[in-house]
Amino acid sequence: MSVTSAARGDTAQQPLAHRRPLRPVIAIGPMRLPMRTRLTVVGVCLTVIAVVLFLADIAISDYPMTLADVVRILFGGGTRVQNVIVFDVQLPRALVAALVGLGLGYAGSLTQVVTRNPLASPDMIGITAGASTFAVLAIAFGSTWGSWLAGVGVPVAAIIGAAVAAVAMYLLAWRRGIESFRLVLVGVALTWMFEAITSYLLTRAQINDAARAQQWLVGSVNNASWSDVWPLVITVAVALALVGPVSRTLSALSLGPDVAAGLGASPGRGNTLVLGLGVVISAMCVAAAGPIAFVALLAPQIGARLARTPTPTPTISGLVGATLVLLADVVCRTVLPSGLPVGIVTAAVGGPFLIYLMIRVSRKATV
């Protein structure tokens, strides 16, 4: 591997004063990958912040530990009691928080780029709402007519609900292809429909079952276990493996269907592929921790502003999402009363940010 510099344009025939700055290029065999310095710096900084928050989330427990203690225990040190606390209780919770934030940020960037709308995210276009409705069926009606969903488990029920919502959104939005504005409108309508069904189900459920379902609906990592970690690890690993191919498709789709077709991409097939990937990732995240509000909406927009990119980047969005969920969990366990779910913090931050985005989009539309 070597690092060279590539100029933009034919600099050999340009005067020295008119030559553009050289961009570093990483050469791996026949491949040439241009380096984006600001994107790399932002990614490294976000990774460091996320790791620190991850260690802090593990350290916060009834048994006092420092960050150095956590690192030592993770690498094989510590007493037997410390190992039980870290590996059996604290580590699964921190891993679920980080992986859910990473997945929601990634899924949000996919939906926002495909729809070319900063307001589009899995929790705004019906995917999260569909998953929540089926999860409430499994939780609150597991002993009656929702027993078939309870039999497969709440995570699988949430995935089924997300798939149903995605298919309904796709069919209703299809008209000689997927049009972005129509997709967002259909998604918002589906969100309200599924939320209405969920509210009705909660009024018909037993008090104890409704309370458990309501706690799940807020979004929480309080009861995370290793059984929640492994499906997320597989999902995130597959998503990261698809970063390269999906990034090329996203770059073309972000320019519009006509330009994407001119660049050799198939807008219909590309939209279906990218949206399908976003649905699977968001469904797995909702299944593990519930519908943590606004992370999929906030992370891509914050990441795009930090990296100064025209469209959200999946990797940066995922890192921002992980940072947001980990920070929210740390705040819930230190500043706020004990036991509060992370969804309360993300909703409190996401509400004003949604208003800001709506105002910004409205102003762009009137220019």
Side-chain angles (χ1 to χ4, degrees), residues 52-134:
V52 173
L53 289 172
F54 178 79
L55 296 176
D57 201 24
I58 296 176
I60 300 171
S61 67
D62 295 333
Y63 190 94
M65 287 181 289
T66 64
L67 296 184
D69 292 334
V70 172
V71 174
R72 179 169 50 83
I73 295 168
L74 290 176
F75 282 93
T79 63
R80 184 174 182 179
V81 174
Q82 289 177 328
N83 277 269
V84 170
I85 292 174
V86 169
F87 287 101
D88 293 349
V89 181
Q90 300 296 95
L91 185 57
R93 175 172 181 162
L95 282 173
V96 168
L99 292 172
V100 165
L102 186 69
L104 289 176
Y106 195 99
S109 70
L110 297 181
T111 55
Q112 289 182 12
V113 171
V114 167
T115 59
R116 302 190 303 281
N117 191 327
L119 299 177
S121 63
D123 49 356
M124 298 292 289
I125 60 175
I127 305 301
T128 299
S132 300
T133 298
F134 277 66

Side-chain angles (χ1 to χ4, degrees), residues 33-45:
L33 303 176
M35 289 182 59
R36 303 173 68 176
T37 305
R38 184 178 182 87
L39 203 64
T40 303
V41 171
V42 170
V44 171
C45 292

Side-chain angles (χ1 to χ4, degrees), residues 94-302:
L95 282 173
V96 168
L99 292 172
V100 165
L102 186 69
L104 289 176
Y106 195 99
S109 70
L110 297 181
T111 55
Q112 289 182 12
V113 171
V114 167
T115 59
R116 302 190 303 281
N117 191 327
L119 299 177
S121 63
D123 49 356
M124 298 292 289
I125 60 175
I127 305 301
T128 299
S132 300
T133 298
F134 277 66
V136 168
L137 280 172
I139 295 172
F141 296 91
S143 59
T144 56
W145 44 277
S147 58
W148 66 280
L149 285 174
V152 298
V154 175
V156 178
I159 294 172
I160 295 173
V164 170
V167 171
M169 177 185 64
Y170 190 86
L171 293 177
L172 292 173
W174 179 269
R175 179 180 290 180
R176 301 189 188 93
I178 294 293
E179 199 275 323
S180 300
F181 184 70
R182 182 182 177 87
L183 181 70
V184 174
L185 289 180
V186 170
V188 171
L190 284 174
T191 297
W192 285 106
M193 185 191 73
F194 279 117
E195 287 184 353
I197 295 174
T198 301
S199 299
Y200 172 76
L201 292 174
L202 291 174
T203 63
R204 307 303 299 173
Q206 297 294 326
I207 294 179
N208 293 335
D209 295 333
R212 288 194 300 116
Q214 187 61 49
Q215 183 179 8
W216 185 89
L217 285 171
V218 177
S220 174
V221 295
N222 294 347
N223 299 319
S225 64
W226 283 107
S227 62
D228 300 314
V229 172
W230 300 119
L232 285 173
V233 170
I234 296 173
T235 303
V236 171
V238 172
L240 293 178
L242 295 175
V243 166
V246 168
S247 296
R248 299 187 189 96
T249 304
L250 286 176
S251 299
L253 294 177
S254 65
L255 300 174
D258 295 334
V259 178
L263 294 174
S266 175
R269 185 184 303 172
N271 286 336
T272 304
L273 172 65
V274 174
L275 284 176
L277 182 60
V279 167
V280 172
I281 296 172
S282 57
M284 294 299 296
C285 294
V286 172
I292 300 178
F294 291 112
V295 174
L297 176 73
L298 289 172
Q301 294 302 310
I302 294 175

Side-chain angles (χ1 to χ4, degrees), residues 296-348:
L297 176 73
L298 289 172
Q301 294 302 310
I302 294 175
R305 283 160 175 76
L306 290 175
R308 294 181 183 175
T309 54
T311 57
T313 304
T315 303
I316 297 297
S317 301
L319 290 173
V320 173
T323 302
L324 288 175
V325 177
L326 286 169
L327 179 60
D329 197 30
V330 170
V331 170
C332 285
R333 303 176 71 182
T334 55
V335 179
L336 300 179
S338 177
L340 286 180
V342 295
I344 292 179
V345 177
T346 59

